[in-house]
Amino acid sequence: MKRTQLNYKTALSFSVGISLLMNLLFFIMFFYGRDAVLPPDGEHPPKTFEISAMMTHLLFNFLIAFFLYVINFRLLKLNHYQYKFPKWLYIAIITFVCAGILSYCFSLIQIHIQDIKPHPERFIRGGMFRDYFIA
């Protein structure tokens, strides 16, 4: 079996795949909302579709996945004999911390780009949930 090289090209291809898959799921949920997984409970107002918002989500999903892959690839190449704890523990902690920081920063940028007024804290919380899932 061929081993995958841990480099920028691999991180780029994995990030594109994950961001496209995540955006496909968001696209489905955008159009169907709760009705995609639960029975409808009445009339819902029509949703407006903005291509700029979709492209922004796609870009930030890609960037977070790419940065997390690059960080993890670098951590995997480190010599694990110099640490007191197992290597996987360092990788998990650093991934968790970096995902939170990146998610918060990118959510703030997205709030300002899309001019999200009502409930920006929900947007940040939803972005963090999504990005921890990606991580």
Side-chain angles (χ1 to χ4, degrees), residues 43-64:
E43 290 294 319
H44 298 289
K47 298 183 186 230
T48 59
F49 178 72
E50 295 179 19
I51 192 74
S52 63
M54 189 66 164
M55 295 307 288
T56 306
H57 280 292
L58 182 68
L59 174 68
F60 287 125
N61 283 346
F62 165 75
L63 287 175
I64 285 178

Side-chain angles (χ1 to χ4, degrees), residues 13-58:
S13 63
F14 287 167
S15 302
V16 167
I18 284 182
S19 64
L20 289 176
L21 176 65
M22 291 297 291
N23 276 303
L24 177 66
L25 295 174
F26 291 137
F27 192 68
I28 291 169
M29 290 302 292
F30 174 78
F31 279 114
Y32 295 106
R34 290 175 31 136
D35 299 340
V37 291
L38 298 172
D41 60 353
E43 290 294 319
H44 298 289
K47 298 183 186 230
T48 59
F49 178 72
E50 295 179 19
I51 192 74
S52 63
M54 189 66 164
M55 295 307 288
T56 306
H57 280 292
L58 182 68

